[in-house]
Amino acid sequence: MNTITIGDTVPDFTLPASDGNQVSLSQYRGQKIILYFYPKDMTPACTQEACEFRDVHDQITIKGAVILGISPDRLESHTKFIAKNELPFLLLSDEDHKVSEMFGVWQLKKLYGKEFMGIVRSTFLIDEEGVLKQEWRKVRVKGHVEAAVELLDLK
């Protein structure tokens, strides 16, 4: 499993986005990107995380950055999730989990004694040149968004 590490240039990828367009990472050259991977729309922790990113969206855009969320959910699910929570940023659909695998966040998980493959909640900060500057793997939602926003000031 090849994973991207800090200091690497992130390979370009294209995924279907919640606005109906195909979105490529390269479209955001010149901007910082907060790329966050989450397991599933409409679940409590994922909703909390998305809403916390929503609440700091203005602070992030003022700093010249964009937020992109990625999960394996279908676009229809993303559309409902955005509408229900008034999310002001795009969600990308990684149904075949190729991008999740590229970042090393598609892993074997355990829940209630069952094993399954899924996304391990993770966030990546990519700079204006497309270089990975910071990663947060196996994220706990509480306090995470604030840490990502604070780091934007430093990078």
Side-chain angles (χ1 to χ4, degrees):
M1 170 170 72
N2 280 351
T3 60
I4 298 160
T5 55
I6 292 175
D8 290 351
T9 297
V10 178
D12 196 23
F13 62 82
T14 302
L15 288 173
S18 51
D19 65 357
N21 293 312
Q22 294 287 319
V23 168
S24 297
L25 193 65
S26 57
Q27 290 173 229
Y28 296 99
R29 280 285 160 90
Q31 290 180 283
K32 292 176 187 155
I33 303 166
I34 293 177
L35 186 68
Y36 83 98
F37 290 83
Y38 65 99
K40 189 158 181 52
D41 291 340
M42 305 293 188
T43 58
C46 295
T47 300
Q48 179 185 347
E49 183 179 30
C51 290
E52 287 184 15
F53 274 122
R54 173 199 65 204
D55 294 346
V56 297
H57 182 258
D58 290 347
Q59 293 173 47
I60 288 171
T61 55
I62 285 169
K63 295 174 186 191
V66 63
I67 302 166
L68 296 172
I70 297 180
S71 84
D73 293 299
R74 299 177 60 172
L75 288 178
E76 297 83 5
S77 176
H78 282 343
T79 302
K80 290 176 189 164
F81 191 47
I82 287 170
K84 183 173 182 184
N85 297 291
E86 299 177 354
L87 304 180
F89 48 85
L90 291 176
L91 298 178
L92 309 181
S93 180
D94 188 23
E95 286 186 71
D96 62 8
H97 42 83
K98 281 192 176 23
V99 175
S100 303
E101 288 178 24
M102 184 171 83
F103 278 86
V105 301
W106 185 258
Q107 298 176 16
L108 186 65
K109 298 171 72 172
K110 287 184 182 176
L111 185 64
Y112 306 122
K114 292 191 169 126
E115 290 188 340
F116 60 96
M117 295 299 290
I119 286 184
V120 174
R121 186 182 317 280
S122 303
T123 302
F124 300 87
L125 175 61
I126 301 167
D127 75 6
E128 296 87 346
E129 306 299 318
V131 175
L132 181 63
K133 287 298 186 185
Q134 181 66 43
E135 60 183 20
W136 295 268
R137 294 183 180 270
K138 299 183 179 172
V139 165
R140 297 242 175 263
V141 173
K142 188 170 174 49
H144 169 61
V145 170
E146 293 85 356
V149 171
E150 285 172 22
L151 198 74
L152 277 176
D153 291 328
L154 305 174
K155 296 287 180 185

